[in-house]
């Protein structure tokens, strides 16, 4: 509790004085927020207009987090599999204090070349990255429409290999019938 108060005080001082935190200070704040910082392994970090986005793993699995410049704090995701059985995973953050939602996951199925998020009135394509630790994807959405949300992992020919969401009025999650999982 004392550590949270000190961190909050530092953030407030920086906001009031107009100073901005550097990348190292932001990462230290994230390590204070996660449950097992001793198992933290940074997979990817990117500065974005709204703040900072990181992919990481710890002893609970794959995770991601978003630092909001607006609020001055991190919003980490829950964990997901680092070695998914279906070749694809996803997780998200959606904090009502931050008008930004983030999605991220692991791709181990080599057939997957594109990831998209479908909402009622939009389709957004995720960024796929390759690191020494594997292949990952992420997407930052400024305005999320929670009523309709479909996640699709596509082949290079835009065939759906994996999907999650509501299709034809029914909930669906996993590998589609057309593709076998091959890693």
């Amino acid at each position: 509790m004392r550590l949270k108060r000190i961190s909050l005080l530092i953030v407030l001082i920086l906001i009031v004085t107009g100073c901005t935190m550097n990348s190292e200070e932001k990462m230290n704040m994230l390590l204070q927020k996660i449950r097992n910082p001793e198992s933290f392994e940074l997979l990817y970090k990117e500065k974005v207009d709204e703040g900072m986005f990181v992919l990481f793993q710890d002893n609970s699995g794959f995770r991601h987090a978003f630092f909001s410049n607006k609020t001055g704090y991190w919003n980490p995701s829950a964990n997901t599999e680092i070695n998914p059985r279906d070749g694809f995973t996803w997780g998200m953050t959606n904090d009502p204090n931050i008008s930004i939602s983030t999605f991220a996951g692991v791709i181990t199925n080599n057939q997957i070349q594109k990831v998209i998020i479908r909402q009622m009135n939009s389709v957004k394509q995720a960024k796929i990255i390759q690191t020494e630790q594997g292949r990952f994807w992420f997407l930052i959405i400024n305005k999320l429409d929670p009523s309709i949300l479909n996640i699709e992992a596509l082949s290079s020919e835009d065939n759906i290999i994996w999907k999650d969401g509501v299709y034809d009025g029914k909930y669906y999650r996993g590998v589609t019938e057309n593709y076998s999982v091959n890693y």
Side-chain angles (χ1 to χ4, degrees), residues 6-182:
I6 292 171
S7 295
L8 182 60
L9 181 61
I10 291 170
V11 169
L12 289 173
I13 290 170
L14 291 172
I15 290 171
V16 169
T17 62
C19 298
T20 59
M21 284 183 266
N22 66 32
S23 180
E24 185 177 335
E25 290 167 323
K26 289 175 184 174
M27 292 304 294
N28 285 335
M29 283 180 65
L30 176 60
L31 290 174
Q32 291 172 10
K33 189 161 186 161
I34 63 174
R35 182 173 287 157
N36 298 307
E38 67 282 351
S39 66
F40 177 89
E41 179 184 354
L42 181 65
L43 302 172
Y44 181 79
K45 175 174 67 170
E46 183 174 314
K47 183 180 176 186
V48 295
D49 289 339
E50 302 87 359
M52 181 183 289
F53 184 82
V54 297
L55 303 174
F56 65 98
Q57 70 181 33
D58 60 18
N59 62 4
S60 69
F62 171 80
R63 298 179 65 194
H64 72 279
F66 176 75
F67 179 85
S68 169
N69 288 336
K70 179 181 174 183
T71 62
Y73 67 82
W74 284 98
N75 187 16
S77 71
N79 66 313
T80 187
E81 299 170 67
I82 196 73
N83 295 306
R85 182 179 52 109
D86 286 345
F88 184 84
T89 63
W90 72 276
M92 76 176 283
T93 66
N94 188 17
D95 183 331
N97 298 313
I98 303 171
S99 62
I100 294 170
S101 298
T102 61
F103 296 83
V106 177
I107 302 172
T108 58
N109 182 332
N110 293 329
Q111 293 176 318
I112 296 172
Q113 298 299 311
K114 189 187 303 182
V115 177
I116 60 172
I117 306 284
R118 291 186 190 276
Q119 297 183 85
M120 180 68 84
N121 297 312
S122 70
V123 175
K124 307 266 189 211
Q125 185 170 333
K127 182 175 186 176
I128 295 178
I129 58 163
Q130 178 73 48
T131 70
E132 290 180 13
Q133 297 92 342
R135 204 158 57 115
F136 307 96
W137 70 274
F138 69 93
L139 179 64
I140 299 170
I141 296 179
N142 288 323
K143 292 185 181 177
L144 182 67
D145 177 4
S147 62
I148 298 290
L149 182 66
N150 293 323
I151 299 170
E152 299 174 353
L154 308 171
S155 70
S156 57
E157 295 84 28
D158 288 338
N159 295 317
I160 299 173
I161 296 172
W162 189 98
K163 62 185 180 177
D164 191 358
V166 178
Y167 292 87
D168 300 325
K170 297 178 182 173
Y171 178 75
Y172 184 90
R173 179 182 181 139
V175 175
T176 62
E177 295 175 21
N178 302 334
Y179 284 86
S180 62
V181 178
N182 92 28

